[in-house]
Amino acid sequence: LIKRMLLEDAVWLEKTLITLDVDYKAAFDKVPYFIKEMSLRRLGVPESGISLWCAHDQTRKQYVRTAYGPTGGLHPRCGAFGQGAEESPMGFVSLMSWKCDYIFAEMKEVDPYEYVTKNKVVQLCKTLFCDDSSYTSRTVKGAKFILERIGMFAAAAGMELNIKKTFYVVMGKVEELTLSIPMPEFDLEKFNQTGEYAYKTPMKREIIKQETQDHEWRHLGNFQSNKGNSTLLRSEINSIITEDLQYMTNRKLTQDGALMGYERKILMQILYKTKHGNLTKPQLCELQGQINSKLKGAMRVHKSIPNGLFYGSALGGGLEVPHLWDETNREKAIILQASLQDNTLDIYHVMMGGI
């Protein structure tokens, strides 16, 4: 949400902005055990809590199921934050906190984007959700500094960057540039000879690709471009309607069963995408029309039923089918309310600036 508001601000006010989207290969599965302990200890987690959290790290085994039965167990050398474990996102955020403190220790070098509101100038330089990370700067120098720090931290933490999915987008007038990120490799030969820790020289670097402002990136399962386009988002919602909803409507359900299935399953999938997206009212109404064409048959009502009865309250004889525009705005209102709870947070000032 912060990133979308920031992008709108840059587009409308024609400001220079460079966005960096950095991806890790199998992020959760490649965190070394000692990095997990260091991250938790850095945040002040008691030793007893660290011991409890890491109790299974040295004893767990993984098995591969084959046609002849499971193989012998093997102990993974990394993957301290198990994929799918309830506590893993919280633990991975502790690692990202450490990384951000390292990157932004010298804030002047970063040249963060300045979001100007009526009462405050908010410096925005990153948006994170677990391993999904996006960084922003208003200068080329700042973008290069951020990438330098990201590459060095990833190497030190034993994590691997996914260069194929890492990219940057330039908004505004910036001279042609090529951005690269360091990919240091540990010098094992020197360590065996001298016992010193060092990286191989010259240090390996990878060029990261530049995308246009129309390139649609994915964050929290939702697609959007820096210009606000949502072609892929609409395509995903269309897939839910044509596949999931179509499958449900083909079942032999009662009117109440069809409505309950839509509300509890299909609508929840769609709302997860629309509440974080930026689809307009005509676009949502068009999607609602596609939903109606399938849902009316499952509910055994005529296709020509007036919208007032289809969406209306049962007190007035309606069927109370929720409209996508209303439900999306209800979800967005909840997000807005949560964003305005604490005036010390950046999200509060960003939202107030948007309002």
Side-chain angles (χ1 to χ4, degrees), residues 1 132 168 215:
L1 182 60
D132 282 343
Y168 68 96
H215 171 74

Side-chain angles (χ1 to χ4, degrees), residues 336-350 352:
L336 175 62
Q337 184 181 23
S339 303
L340 299 177
Q341 292 296 315
D342 188 346
N343 61 9
T344 64
L345 300 178
D346 286 344
I347 184 64
Y348 172 86
H349 298 285
V350 172
M352 290 301 296

Side-chain angles (χ1 to χ4, degrees), residues 28-33 36 53 56-57 60 78-82 88:
F28 284 79
D29 298 326
K30 289 196 174 182
V31 178
Y33 299 113
K36 172 182 177 179
W53 202 333
H56 70 288
D57 287 351
R60 67 178 180 146
C78 57
F81 297 117
S88 290

Side-chain angles (χ1 to χ4, degrees), residues 29-182:
D29 298 326
K30 289 196 174 182
V31 178
Y33 299 113
F34 74 93
I35 291 294
K36 172 182 177 179
E37 292 187 27
M38 292 172 68
S39 299
L40 298 174
R41 190 170 287 115
R42 177 181 168 275
L43 289 183
V45 177
E47 290 300 318
S48 58
I50 295 176
S51 298
L52 178 63
W53 202 333
C54 302
H56 70 288
D57 287 351
Q58 303 305 322
T59 58
R60 67 178 180 146
K61 290 186 177 181
Q62 292 182 340
Y63 300 86
V64 179
R65 183 180 296 173
T66 70
Y68 304 97
T71 62
L74 57 90
H75 175 65
R77 297 177 60 185
C78 57
F81 297 117
Q83 191 76 260
E86 291 183 5
E87 73 280 359
S88 290
M90 186 190 310
F92 200 88
V93 167
S94 70
L95 175 58
M96 292 294 99
S97 171
W98 184 7
K99 182 185 80 168
C100 288
D101 281 353
Y102 170 70
I103 295 174
F104 302 107
E106 300 177 45
M107 186 62 82
K108 290 183 180 179
E109 298 294 330
V110 174
D111 285 333
Y113 183 82
E114 294 185 340
Y115 188 93
V116 182
T117 67
K118 187 176 181 180
N119 302 315
K120 187 176 181 179
V121 176
V122 184
Q123 292 187 325
L124 300 173
C125 48
K126 62 184 181 297
T127 53
L128 300 173
F129 187 83
C130 291
D131 59 323
D132 282 343
S133 55
S134 182
Y135 306 89
T136 54
S137 178
R138 52 197 168 98
T139 65
V140 174
K141 184 190 76 170
K144 290 181 176 179
F145 179 83
I146 293 173
L147 289 172
E148 197 75 20
R149 288 292 180 102
I150 290 174
M152 297 304 294
F153 185 88
M159 301 176 68
E160 186 179 359
L161 293 168
N162 189 347
I163 298 300
K164 291 183 178 180
K165 292 185 178 180
T166 298
F167 63 91
Y168 68 96
V169 178
V170 177
M171 303 180 70
K173 296 181 179 179
V174 175
E175 68 276 9
E176 287 191 20
L177 75 155
T178 300
L179 296 180
S180 64
I181 192 166

Side-chain angles (χ1 to χ4, degrees), residues 48-317:
S48 58
I50 295 176
S51 298
L52 178 63
W53 202 333
C54 302
H56 70 288
D57 287 351
Q58 303 305 322
T59 58
R60 67 178 180 146
K61 290 186 177 181
Q62 292 182 340
Y63 300 86
V64 179
R65 183 180 296 173
T66 70
Y68 304 97
T71 62
L74 57 90
H75 175 65
R77 297 177 60 185
C78 57
F81 297 117
Q83 191 76 260
E86 291 183 5
E87 73 280 359
S88 290
M90 186 190 310
F92 200 88
V93 167
S94 70
L95 175 58
M96 292 294 99
S97 171
W98 184 7
K99 182 185 80 168
C100 288
D101 281 353
Y102 170 70
I103 295 174
F104 302 107
E106 300 177 45
M107 186 62 82
K108 290 183 180 179
E109 298 294 330
V110 174
D111 285 333
Y113 183 82
E114 294 185 340
Y115 188 93
V116 182
T117 67
K118 187 176 181 180
N119 302 315
K120 187 176 181 179
V121 176
V122 184
Q123 292 187 325
L124 300 173
C125 48
K126 62 184 181 297
T127 53
L128 300 173
F129 187 83
C130 291
D131 59 323
D132 282 343
S133 55
S134 182
Y135 306 89
T136 54
S137 178
R138 52 197 168 98
T139 65
V140 174
K141 184 190 76 170
K144 290 181 176 179
F145 179 83
I146 293 173
L147 289 172
E148 197 75 20
R149 288 292 180 102
I150 290 174
M152 297 304 294
F153 185 88
M159 301 176 68
E160 186 179 359
L161 293 168
N162 189 347
I163 298 300
K164 291 183 178 180
K165 292 185 178 180
T166 298
F167 63 91
Y168 68 96
V169 178
V170 177
M171 303 180 70
K173 296 181 179 179
V174 175
E175 68 276 9
E176 287 191 20
L177 75 155
T178 300
L179 296 180
S180 64
I181 192 166
M183 303 282 285
E185 295 179 350
F186 181 63
D187 194 336
L188 184 60
E189 183 178 349
K190 184 174 182 179
F191 175 77
N192 291 333
Q193 293 175 355
T194 66
E196 295 181 8
Y197 291 93
Y199 293 124
K200 291 181 180 179
T201 55
M203 189 176 293
K204 180 183 176 183
R205 303 187 71 89
E206 290 281 356
I207 303 296
I208 63 174
K209 59 186 175 182
Q210 179 178 358
E211 299 287 2
T212 67
Q213 296 182 33
D214 292 315
H215 171 74
E216 295 195 21
W217 37 265
R218 184 173 183 172
H219 189 68
L220 295 181
N222 296 288
F223 288 95
Q224 182 188 317
S225 72
N226 278 24
K227 279 189 174 181
N229 301 329
S230 298
T231 305
L232 291 175
L233 177 61
R234 293 184 65 185
S235 177
E236 285 203 331
I237 297 175
N238 280 326
S239 295
I240 295 173
I241 296 172
T242 56
E243 296 175 13
D244 297 357
L245 181 58
Q246 181 67 54
Y247 177 83
M248 189 203 76
T249 55
N250 288 339
R251 304 302 95 188
K252 293 182 179 180
L253 300 172
T254 64
Q255 184 183 80
D256 290 340
L259 181 58
M260 185 179 296
Y262 169 70
E263 291 180 341
R264 298 292 184 269
K265 182 66 176 179
I266 309 299
L267 182 60
M268 293 299 103
Q269 293 182 55
I270 297 174
L271 286 180
Y272 177 75
K273 298 182 178 299
T274 59
K275 70 180 179 182
H276 295 300
N278 58 346
L279 298 179
T280 62
K281 185 174 182 179
Q283 290 172 333
L284 288 173
C285 289
E286 180 183 340
L287 291 170
Q288 183 65 51
Q290 297 176 34
I291 293 170
N292 292 351
S293 64
K294 299 182 182 301
L295 193 58
K296 286 179 178 178
M299 294 179 64
R300 296 178 176 81
V301 296
H302 199 272
K303 292 184 178 181
S304 63
I305 182 175
N307 287 339
L309 289 177
F310 195 60
Y311 305 126
S313 170
L315 296 175

